[in-house]
Amino acid sequence: MAKPTLPQGTRDFSPDTVRKRNFILSTVKNVFGLYGFQPLETPAMENLETLMGKYGEEGDKLIFRVLNNGLNDPKNIEKSRAAFENTLQGKNDANLTSRALRYDLTIPFARYVAMNHGQLVYPFKRYQVQPVWRADRPQKGRYREFYQCDADVVGSTSLMNEVDLAMIYHDAFTALKIDGYELRVNSRKILAGLSEHINAKERLEEMTIVIDKLDKIGHDKVFEELSRKGFTEWQVKQIGTYLNIGVKNQNEEKLSLVKELLGDTGTAKKGIAELEFILDKVKGKNINLVVDFTLARGLNYYTGIIFEAKAPASVQIGSIGGGGRYDDLTGLFGVPNIPGVGISFGVDRIYDVMEEMAIFPTSLDISTTVLFFNEGEEQLKFVFEIAGSLRKKNISCEIYPDQDKEEKQFKYAVRKRIQFIFSSDLGNYKLKNLVTSESFNFTASEVHTETFTGKIESIISSHK
Amino acid sequence: MAKPTLPQGTRDFSPDTVRKRNFILSTVKNVFGLYGFQPLETPAMENLETLMGKYGEEGDKLIFRVLNNGLNDPKNIEKSRAAFENTLQGKNDANLTSRALRYDLTIPFARYVAMNHGQLVYPFKRYQVQPVWRADRPQKGRYREFYQCDADVVGSTSLMNEVDLAMIYHDAFTALKIDGYELRVNSRKILAGLSEHINAKERLEEMTIVIDKLDKIGHDKVFEELSRKGFTEWQVKQIGTYLNIGVKNQNEEKLSLVKELLGDTGTAKKGIAELEFILDKVKGKNINLVVDFTLARGLNYYTGIIFEAKAPASVQIGSIGGGGRYDDLTGLFGVPNIPGVGISFGVDRIYDVMEEMAIFPTSLDISTTVLFFNEGEEQLKFVFEIAGSLRKKNISCEIYPDQDKEEKQFKYAVRKRIQFIFSSDLGNYKLKNLVTSESFNFTASEVHTETFTGKIESIISSHK
């Protein structure tokens, strides 16, 4: 049989990688928990109708649909065939595919809140860390299965939630040692204010989508596109003045400049007040919060504060997280008026950033702490006891299962990145640290005492 | 819009449940790690050909297939239609579905080992804890998405691996406080010896499948079925003698009885020696290992030691885990001669056992440790500082985001199962433990000192 392969755009995560990924995920989850967010999990499959129409026409095409079972059951065959013809015409037919793989964690969360509305305690603060699937064309850094890592609070309009979420970014990046991250912040209300200021309130969305491209295409192309879309010269110039605020300024200066420009609209004023509230609350917290009026965030359901976390400029990886406030999470599912605010961490990108900055703790390079060599029945009995005692102290150890040549056992330890090996030679015992090459020697009378496990334990703890 | 629903047989896990499930999973993963097993993750989707034909005809029908995207692309339409007609005839056609959701963790593991054969360090010890999907008819305790939790070691024939796996069951159940669990053990070689003993070596599989039903249908029905299948009266009687060994006996007696019955076949002798080796190694470890010759385990790829973990008899839940040794994991994928042994924990059942025995740690009932009441701007500034300091000590806390009525904030704390609330009244401050109803009162001058966070911290630590 031919060598098996993986579906395009999917990945296996080998142990070395899982340890590092888990370090990121458990760090972020722990921070979520410290702020009172609780874990939620939803199933991989949702009803097709739950997902369809929520991600725009392009999004719909990228949803992985699951084929119903029993299509060729004699009593279903005609229905199945009709359903397939509908599908070929671009319609969704539950007789062919009634389920699909989740495309993000937001819609399943909204579906959960709508289904459990009466039982939930508001403000409801949940985090969710699960894979999602998208039939995107695979390319560097883009996968068909990837993890999302979201925290949202719904049922509260207080800006204290935004403050908490900003602090969560700060605490998580600090714990991961991603120094030099930037947390960009803006308010959609300021963008709305800009649209009012240029008398184009009804074109807010259109304007926002173009501004959102600034990073990719630059100022000139943005102005061109705005003109092409029929924004007047004056309007484009005003937008230009807005986009030029504060490339280099301090947050306070930027705010005063935007007040000068847009201070005449009530909506902008509200947005400015939001930013001022947050900046005031996090003062003295060392958080690298950068007001960035060019920040727009493409998705159009945001209505207030928006965030984007950027990797340190040195690594050129760009966005490693984002989020914002929305007015109505569950209206789509028949439960209106549940506002909320949420953020997301880009796990794959954070992994790349940490690799590039070489800041994963070196302890993650180690698999097992101690390997006991297998040197025959007598020795086995003895090390089996020590291994058991060490495990009770939460120290991981292995006994090499087969009585292979010493060289082979040694190679196993090195290749598996085991920290210590324990072996004996003519009645002399040795614990060797493979990372530092230090050795600790013991006589037979030393190793066969009650206190020996304690000795090993203290050597190991002092080499963490 | 109608209230949204979940696909049949799938579940949301709300925070209270996730905390408990994570307690089980992290306990088991920790034990895996203590024995040198390393985490592996594979993608949810596999190529359809990787999965098909691996689980028998019935299994194939239960695999969830994922519809290819772009079926209605004009250049694909004719191919799509032909592929669909093939599917209606019960054939798999990669032009309709080239991918499917994994059905278990064993085949993806085998696929991974075959793909990475040259790079792996053997013995390769991996654990894997991920969801799997099966289109089973949903019923009580049977779901279409559920977690499997497996540990396998491949590339070693040493029985020390079996010893480790038995100890892993013991350590994990002990850590979970599932007292009264039983770990049943047998060797397929003994069943093979029995088939040789009754001169029906070629009917081993057939015999094993019937014996496997003993628990469900009882001795009489097993004998009936054997007779119906053409086993002679003498053969059935010998099988009966075998099945009657040791319902009440100690392990040693059982072994001597089976030696008496089957000691004439070499295969049985090997199986007996395997059991003796393991029993000898775990002597004095308090592990509740029960030799059970009636244990067969339906799946027919096992060739040596087999395990089944049973919940304490009092809860009547039955099997909570199982596994065994196999000779050839990856032959199906073109890489022959990789033997291994593995076990699995039944996460959903273990959850039910622990609920019924009421042995989940009570700490899992608590969500956040402290809620600071929101009592206006001045107070907010103050509690924001304390909350920040407590979080640095890894104590979770929330500040209620809105300045709602005290009653509403209190209700939030109670319903969310927060352990402590911190509030003030006319300059007097109070930390109240909602679980024990104890209160700790402080004056304004006490709370505004540098040592106050330390005081709260020590109260909290003493109430864990």
Side-chain angles (χ1 to χ4, degrees), chain B residues 244-258:
Chain B
N244 274 319
I245 292 176
V247 180
K248 300 243 161 96
N249 299 318
Q250 294 298 305
N251 289 334
E252 288 71 19
E253 290 175 71
K254 288 180 210 170
L255 283 166
S256 73
L257 287 167
V258 90

PDB file of all heavy atoms in Angstrom, chain B residues 244-258:
ATOM      1  N   ASN B 244     -15.406 -21.357  34.002  1.00  0.00           N
ATOM      2  CA  ASN B 244     -15.776 -21.409  35.418  1.00  0.00           C
ATOM      3  C   ASN B 244     -14.604 -21.215  36.370  1.00  0.00           C
ATOM      4  O   ASN B 244     -14.797 -21.135  37.574  1.00  0.00           O
ATOM      5  CB  ASN B 244     -16.461 -22.739  35.729  1.00  0.00           C
ATOM      6  CG  ASN B 244     -17.944 -22.644  35.434  1.00  0.00           C
ATOM      7  OD1 ASN B 244     -18.567 -21.619  35.740  1.00  0.00           O
ATOM      8  ND2 ASN B 244     -18.493 -23.693  34.842  1.00  0.00           N
ATOM      9  N   ILE B 245     -13.411 -21.143  35.804  1.00  0.00           N
ATOM     10  CA  ILE B 245     -12.246 -20.994  36.679  1.00  0.00           C
ATOM     11  C   ILE B 245     -12.278 -19.644  37.362  1.00  0.00           C
ATOM     12  O   ILE B 245     -12.341 -18.596  36.724  1.00  0.00           O
ATOM     13  CB  ILE B 245     -10.925 -21.091  35.890  1.00  0.00           C
ATOM     14  CG1 ILE B 245     -10.722 -22.519  35.369  1.00  0.00           C
ATOM     15  CG2 ILE B 245      -9.736 -20.703  36.781  1.00  0.00           C
ATOM     16  CD1 ILE B 245      -9.501 -22.653  34.499  1.00  0.00           C
ATOM     17  N   GLY B 246     -12.284 -19.721  38.669  1.00  0.00           N
ATOM     18  CA  GLY B 246     -11.918 -18.527  39.392  1.00  0.00           C
ATOM     19  C   GLY B 246     -12.923 -17.426  39.480  1.00  0.00           C
ATOM     20  O   GLY B 246     -12.547 -16.269  39.578  1.00  0.00           O
ATOM     21  N   VAL B 247     -14.193 -17.737  39.405  1.00  0.00           N
ATOM     22  CA  VAL B 247     -15.152 -16.676  39.660  1.00  0.00           C
ATOM     23  C   VAL B 247     -14.859 -16.078  41.032  1.00  0.00           C
ATOM     24  O   VAL B 247     -14.928 -14.879  41.240  1.00  0.00           O
ATOM     25  CB  VAL B 247     -16.592 -17.212  39.582  1.00  0.00           C
ATOM     26  CG1 VAL B 247     -17.598 -16.119  39.839  1.00  0.00           C
ATOM     27  CG2 VAL B 247     -16.827 -17.858  38.223  1.00  0.00           C
ATOM     28  N   LYS B 248     -14.521 -16.936  41.971  1.00  0.00           N
ATOM     29  CA  LYS B 248     -14.275 -16.463  43.333  1.00  0.00           C
ATOM     30  C   LYS B 248     -12.827 -16.659  43.796  1.00  0.00           C
ATOM     31  O   LYS B 248     -12.465 -16.227  44.884  1.00  0.00           O
ATOM     32  CB  LYS B 248     -15.180 -17.257  44.307  1.00  0.00           C
ATOM     33  CG  LYS B 248     -16.676 -17.107  44.033  1.00  0.00           C
ATOM     34  CD  LYS B 248     -17.398 -16.454  45.181  1.00  0.00           C
ATOM     35  CE  LYS B 248     -18.751 -15.901  44.752  1.00  0.00           C
ATOM     36  NZ  LYS B 248     -19.890 -16.785  45.013  1.00  0.00           N
ATOM     37  N   ASN B 249     -12.019 -17.329  42.996  1.00  0.00           N
ATOM     38  CA  ASN B 249     -10.675 -17.668  43.479  1.00  0.00           C
ATOM     39  C   ASN B 249      -9.695 -16.505  43.459  1.00  0.00           C
ATOM     40  O   ASN B 249      -9.912 -15.501  42.794  1.00  0.00           O
ATOM     41  CB  ASN B 249     -10.088 -18.800  42.626  1.00  0.00           C
ATOM     42  CG  ASN B 249     -10.940 -20.047  42.713  1.00  0.00           C
ATOM     43  OD1 ASN B 249     -11.406 -20.405  43.789  1.00  0.00           O
ATOM     44  ND2 ASN B 249     -11.156 -20.679  41.568  1.00  0.00           N
ATOM     45  N   GLN B 250      -8.606 -16.691  44.197  1.00  0.00           N
ATOM     46  CA  GLN B 250      -7.489 -15.749  44.132  1.00  0.00           C
ATOM     47  C   GLN B 250      -6.749 -15.969  42.819  1.00  0.00           C
ATOM     48  O   GLN B 250      -6.809 -17.035  42.217  1.00  0.00           O
ATOM     49  CB  GLN B 250      -6.527 -16.028  45.304  1.00  0.00           C
ATOM     50  CG  GLN B 250      -7.131 -15.748  46.668  1.00  0.00           C
ATOM     51  CD  GLN B 250      -7.504 -14.290  46.827  1.00  0.00           C
ATOM     52  OE1 GLN B 250      -6.670 -13.410  46.646  1.00  0.00           O
ATOM     53  NE2 GLN B 250      -8.768 -14.034  47.151  1.00  0.00           N
ATOM     54  N   ASN B 251      -5.986 -14.935  42.419  1.00  0.00           N
ATOM     55  CA  ASN B 251      -5.244 -15.009  41.161  1.00  0.00           C
ATOM     56  C   ASN B 251      -4.372 -16.256  41.073  1.00  0.00           C
ATOM     57  O   ASN B 251      -4.341 -16.934  40.045  1.00  0.00           O
ATOM     58  CB  ASN B 251      -4.363 -13.764  40.993  1.00  0.00           C
ATOM     59  CG  ASN B 251      -5.205 -12.516  40.709  1.00  0.00           C
ATOM     60  OD1 ASN B 251      -6.315 -12.614  40.175  1.00  0.00           O
ATOM     61  ND2 ASN B 251      -4.676 -11.356  41.081  1.00  0.00           N
ATOM     62  N   GLU B 252      -3.657 -16.577  42.173  1.00  0.00           N
ATOM     63  CA  GLU B 252      -2.718 -17.701  42.143  1.00  0.00           C
ATOM     64  C   GLU B 252      -3.461 -19.012  41.889  1.00  0.00           C
ATOM     65  O   GLU B 252      -3.024 -19.846  41.091  1.00  0.00           O
ATOM     66  CB  GLU B 252      -1.924 -17.805  43.445  1.00  0.00           C
ATOM     67  CG  GLU B 252      -0.884 -16.708  43.627  1.00  0.00           C
ATOM     68  CD  GLU B 252      -1.509 -15.339  43.908  1.00  0.00           C
ATOM     69  OE1 GLU B 252      -2.702 -15.284  44.312  1.00  0.00           O
ATOM     70  OE2 GLU B 252      -0.835 -14.319  43.674  1.00  0.00           O
ATOM     71  N   GLU B 253      -4.604 -19.186  42.585  1.00  0.00           N
ATOM     72  CA  GLU B 253      -5.396 -20.400  42.390  1.00  0.00           C
ATOM     73  C   GLU B 253      -5.879 -20.504  40.957  1.00  0.00           C
ATOM     74  O   GLU B 253      -5.837 -21.563  40.336  1.00  0.00           O
ATOM     75  CB  GLU B 253      -6.628 -20.371  43.294  1.00  0.00           C
ATOM     76  CG  GLU B 253      -6.325 -20.524  44.766  1.00  0.00           C
ATOM     77  CD  GLU B 253      -7.609 -20.348  45.576  1.00  0.00           C
ATOM     78  OE1 GLU B 253      -8.472 -21.251  45.518  1.00  0.00           O
ATOM     79  OE2 GLU B 253      -7.753 -19.297  46.225  1.00  0.00           O
ATOM     80  N   LYS B 254      -6.353 -19.390  40.441  1.00  0.00           N
ATOM     81  CA  LYS B 254      -6.833 -19.399  39.062  1.00  0.00           C
ATOM     82  C   LYS B 254      -5.732 -19.856  38.115  1.00  0.00           C
ATOM     83  O   LYS B 254      -5.948 -20.671  37.234  1.00  0.00           O
ATOM     84  CB  LYS B 254      -7.264 -17.988  38.641  1.00  0.00           C
ATOM     85  CG  LYS B 254      -8.545 -17.534  39.279  1.00  0.00           C
ATOM     86  CD  LYS B 254      -8.887 -16.131  38.794  1.00  0.00           C
ATOM     87  CE  LYS B 254      -9.642 -15.389  39.870  1.00  0.00           C
ATOM     88  NZ  LYS B 254      -9.806 -13.969  39.579  1.00  0.00           N
ATOM     89  N   LEU B 255      -4.534 -19.312  38.337  1.00  0.00           N
ATOM     90  CA  LEU B 255      -3.428 -19.676  37.456  1.00  0.00           C
ATOM     91  C   LEU B 255      -3.121 -21.157  37.554  1.00  0.00           C
ATOM     92  O   LEU B 255      -2.866 -21.816  36.537  1.00  0.00           O
ATOM     93  CB  LEU B 255      -2.197 -18.827  37.779  1.00  0.00           C
ATOM     94  CG  LEU B 255      -2.266 -17.396  37.227  1.00  0.00           C
ATOM     95  CD1 LEU B 255      -1.211 -16.501  37.848  1.00  0.00           C
ATOM     96  CD2 LEU B 255      -2.127 -17.405  35.700  1.00  0.00           C
ATOM     97  N   SER B 256      -3.200 -21.704  38.786  1.00  0.00           N
ATOM     98  CA  SER B 256      -2.866 -23.123  38.870  1.00  0.00           C
ATOM     99  C   SER B 256      -3.981 -23.975  38.255  1.00  0.00           C
ATOM    100  O   SER B 256      -3.720 -25.002  37.641  1.00  0.00           O
ATOM    101  CB  SER B 256      -2.506 -23.533  40.305  1.00  0.00           C
ATOM    102  OG  SER B 256      -3.649 -23.580  41.091  1.00  0.00           O
ATOM    103  N   LEU B 257      -5.233 -23.524  38.380  1.00  0.00           N
ATOM    104  CA  LEU B 257      -6.327 -24.263  37.750  1.00  0.00           C
ATOM    105  C   LEU B 257      -6.213 -24.245  36.216  1.00  0.00           C
ATOM    106  O   LEU B 257      -6.452 -25.252  35.555  1.00  0.00           O
ATOM    107  CB  LEU B 257      -7.681 -23.689  38.173  1.00  0.00           C
ATOM    108  CG  LEU B 257      -8.110 -23.996  39.619  1.00  0.00           C
ATOM    109  CD1 LEU B 257      -9.302 -23.132  40.022  1.00  0.00           C
ATOM    110  CD2 LEU B 257      -8.474 -25.488  39.768  1.00  0.00           C
ATOM    111  N   VAL B 258      -5.848 -23.098  35.669  1.00  0.00           N
ATOM    112  CA  VAL B 258      -5.773 -23.026  34.212  1.00  0.00           C
ATOM    113  C   VAL B 258      -4.571 -23.811  33.696  1.00  0.00           C
ATOM    114  O   VAL B 258      -4.600 -24.385  32.606  1.00  0.00           O
ATOM    115  CB  VAL B 258      -5.772 -21.556  33.711  1.00  0.00           C
ATOM    116  CG1 VAL B 258      -4.358 -20.986  33.601  1.00  0.00           C
ATOM    117  CG2 VAL B 258      -6.486 -21.448  32.357  1.00  0.00           C
TER     118      VAL B 258
END
